[in-house]
């Protein structure tokens, strides 16, 4: 096998993708593994895009790619040497999902990849399996009868996620949701209305040939619909005119609806997208306590706040389950809890394979602890917004319903009917963004009001 150093000296995008995927299969996060490899080389933009597409695509689609290996090879995918399995994934992904790459190029470059990485004796096998695929490419994959397994293999998701979604949406919508999650994610901006306007940012981006699109119901959101290059080099970034934030995440601060002069606590604040948005909506007038357990993540929040020229944010390092100094301090609390992220699986390619029913149960315990403790931060008649970027009812409705049962002095308060979140409100008062319906990250949020104490409770 070649060493990492010798492999990276030749900036071949498929070789770089192989190195990153090998690290991912050992447990590295997709974005970190890819960045680590790309930082070592100077690539053309087209080669960088190809390496990125192969890494994210092979990670997302690995169950489907394994099914093709199982169908075409004499040995099942799990019986193949790990590195050879990764190489076959790269070849099959190009043949299956990359229409602009000629099949002959996909086959030949994958055979060369096998030769370069210690599988010279198996290049005939690699060539044969990939060419066999090209002969059956127009035929459907052999799939089991069980509808959960069938959809899981077809769209490359674990069965348990398919089951959770199908119970909520049915199989037709679950298939649509899976297909949406397998698309390359878009980039949304949030215009800082204290420093610029949506018209000014549109014009500035248009001047460098970046096309944008406004989004319904979300007044400060712009979606990039053309290639933009390095985000930090776009006009307005250094001036604090805008920041990157998915459009559905922007709904959370509108639901919180903080007013100038209020005290707000963002209990799980890093990396700070919702914190800075809240400050902007308050006119940067008031106090926002941004809390998180991790100094490094808070440092990123502070950097963003400084770039956006926001003064109202106070940083506090600590676990929000143990901050007694905040009791009854806040007019409003934002609780964007750690969650399984099932609404953002298109952005985090490996998350579908990392999360399990057990990790969801563990997260539910943490979420229940956080909402119970942070509710004590809220003054009488104050507001708490609970939010997640997951599509799992145990972490969403389940946590909130349990909290309301144990805390009868709280109630759901529907959003203002004229506010952006109202377009996504349910009869129960939940705000639910479903990606395949709304073309945004999946989100759940609810606004809770602390009831005024009766005289005999004092």
């Amino acid at each position: 096998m070649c060493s990492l150093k010798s492999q990276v000296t030749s900036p071949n995008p498929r070789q770089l993708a192989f190195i990153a995927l090998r690290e991912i299969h050992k447990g590295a996060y997709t974005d970190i593994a890819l960045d680590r490899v790309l930082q070592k080389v100077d690539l053309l933009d087209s080669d960088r895009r190809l390496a990125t597409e192969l890494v994210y695509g092979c990670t997302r689609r690995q169950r489907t790619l394994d099914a093709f290996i199982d169908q075409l090879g004499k040995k099942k995918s799990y019986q193949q040497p790990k590195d050879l399995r990764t190489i076959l994934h790269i070849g099959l992904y190009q043949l299956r999902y990359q229409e602009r790459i000629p099949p002959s190029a996909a086959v030949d470059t994958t055979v060369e990849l096998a030769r370069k990485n210690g599988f010279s004796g198996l290049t005939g096998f690699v060539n044969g399996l990939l060419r066999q695929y090209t002969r059956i490419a127009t035929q459907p994959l052999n799939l089991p009868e069980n509808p959960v397994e069938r959809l899981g293999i077809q769209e490359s998701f674990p069965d348990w996620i398919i089951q959770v979604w199908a119970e909520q949406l049915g199989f037709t919508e679950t298939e649509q949701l899976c297909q949406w999650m397998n698309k390359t994610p878009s980039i949304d901006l949030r215009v800082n209305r204290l420093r610029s306007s949506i018209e000014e940012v549109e014009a500035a981006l248009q001047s460098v040939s970046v096309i944008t699109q406004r989004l319904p119901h979300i007044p400060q959101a712009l979606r990039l619909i053309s290639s933009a290059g390095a985000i930090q080099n776009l006009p307005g970034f250094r001036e604090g005119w805008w920041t990157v934030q998915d459009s559905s995440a922007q709904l959370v601060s509108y639901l919180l609806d903080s007013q100038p002069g209020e005290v707000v606590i963002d209990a799980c604040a890093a990396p700070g997208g919702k914190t800075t948005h809240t400050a902007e909506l308050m006119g940067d007038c008031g106090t926002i306590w941004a809390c998180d357990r991790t100094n490094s993540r808070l440092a990123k929040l502070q950097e963003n706040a400084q770039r956006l020229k926001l003064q109202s944010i106070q940083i506090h390092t600590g676990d929000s389950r143990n901050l007694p100094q905040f009791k009854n301090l806040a007019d409003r609390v934002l609780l964007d809890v750690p969650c399984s992220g099932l609404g953002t699986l298109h952005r985090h390619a490996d998350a579908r394979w990392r999360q399990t029913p057990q990790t969801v149960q563990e997260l539910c315990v943490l979420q229940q602890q956080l909402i119970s403790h942070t509710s004590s931060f809220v003054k009488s008649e104050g507001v708490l917004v609970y939010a997640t970027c997951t599509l799992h009812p145990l972490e969403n409705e389940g946590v909130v319903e349990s909290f309301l049962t144990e805390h009868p002095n709280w109630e759901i308060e529907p959003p203002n009917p004229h506010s952006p979140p109202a377009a996504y409100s349910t009869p129960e008062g939940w705000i639910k963004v479903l990606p395949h319906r709304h073309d945004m990250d999946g989100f759940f949020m609810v606004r809770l009001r602390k009831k005024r104490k009766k005289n005999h409770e004092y």
Side-chain angles (χ1 to χ4, degrees), residues 287-306:
T287 302
I288 302 174
W289 289 98
C291 306
D292 204 272
R293 292 190 299 177
T294 311
N295 274 319
S296 58
R297 284 166 57 80
L298 284 171
K300 179 65 175 174
L301 188 158
Q302 199 157 23
E303 178 186 316
N304 284 331
Q306 289 170 353

Side-chain angles (χ1 to χ4, degrees), residues 126-142:
V126 172
N127 182 70
L129 185 141
L130 296 181
R131 293 196 180 280
Q132 188 181 350
Y133 172 83
T134 63
R135 290 192 290 272
I136 68 156
T138 57
Q139 300 175 20
L141 181 65
N142 292 338

Side-chain angles (χ1 to χ4, degrees), residues 176-212:
Q176 294 168 358
L177 176 57
C178 290
Q179 290 169 349
W180 191 94
M181 288 293 184
N182 283 329
K183 295 193 303 183
T184 300
S186 59
I187 297 175
D188 293 346
L189 309 183
R190 187 193 78 233
V191 175
N192 178 2
R193 67 181 191 178
L194 302 182
R195 301 293 164 196
S196 188
S197 67
I198 197 163
E199 293 82 8
E200 187 175 21
V201 172
E202 281 177 323
L205 293 174
Q206 189 175 10
S207 72
V208 292
S209 302
V210 174
I211 303 170
T212 61

Side-chain angles (χ1 to χ4, degrees), residues 37-53:
V37 169
L38 293 181
Q39 285 173 4
K40 298 177 183 291
V41 294
D42 185 17
L43 281 178
L44 295 172
D45 284 346
S46 58
D47 285 343
R48 181 177 291 268
R49 286 195 297 271
L50 176 59
T52 301
E53 177 64 29

Side-chain angles (χ1 to χ4, degrees), residues 349-360:
D350 50 81
R352 68 185 72 182
W353 312 119
R354 290 182 183 277
Q355 299 294 356
T356 66
Q358 182 180 350
T359 62
V360 169

Side-chain angles (χ1 to χ4, degrees), residues 87-241:
I87 290 168
L88 292 172
H89 281 182
I90 291 171
L92 287 166
Y93 183 80
Q94 293 172 84
L95 291 170
R96 183 73 174 177
Y97 301 109
Q98 293 293 286
E99 294 179 357
R100 295 182 180 180
I101 297 176
S104 58
V107 173
D108 292 346
T109 55
T110 307
V111 169
E112 181 58 30
L113 206 57
R115 180 179 291 111
K116 185 172 183 177
N117 290 284
F119 296 103
S120 295
L122 292 173
T123 53
F125 162 71
V126 172
N127 182 70
L129 185 141
L130 296 181
R131 293 196 180 280
Q132 188 181 350
Y133 172 83
T134 63
R135 290 192 290 272
I136 68 156
T138 57
Q139 300 175 20
L141 181 65
N142 292 338
L143 295 169
E145 290 296 322
N146 181 289
V148 171
E149 290 181 54
R150 186 181 186 85
L151 189 53
I153 292 172
Q154 178 182 303
E155 298 299 336
S156 195
F157 284 85
D159 289 348
W160 73 270
I161 292 181
I162 299 293
Q163 188 70 49
V164 166
W165 290 347
E167 287 172 0
Q168 297 176 75
L169 302 167
F171 277 97
T172 299
E173 281 202 75
T174 297
E175 183 173 7
Q176 294 168 358
L177 176 57
C178 290
Q179 290 169 349
W180 191 94
M181 288 293 184
N182 283 329
K183 295 193 303 183
T184 300
S186 59
I187 297 175
D188 293 346
L189 309 183
R190 187 193 78 233
V191 175
N192 178 2
R193 67 181 191 178
L194 302 182
R195 301 293 164 196
S196 188
S197 67
I198 197 163
E199 293 82 8
E200 187 175 21
V201 172
E202 281 177 323
L205 293 174
Q206 189 175 10
S207 72
V208 292
S209 302
V210 174
I211 303 170
T212 61
Q213 177 185 36
R214 297 194 192 190
L215 299 171
H217 311 299
I218 308 175
Q220 294 166 264
L222 282 176
R223 177 162 293 171
L224 305 186
I225 56 174
S226 65
S227 180
I231 287 291
Q232 64 272 21
N233 294 334
L234 292 178
F237 178 81
R238 290 179 179 83
E239 295 83 358
W241 288 4

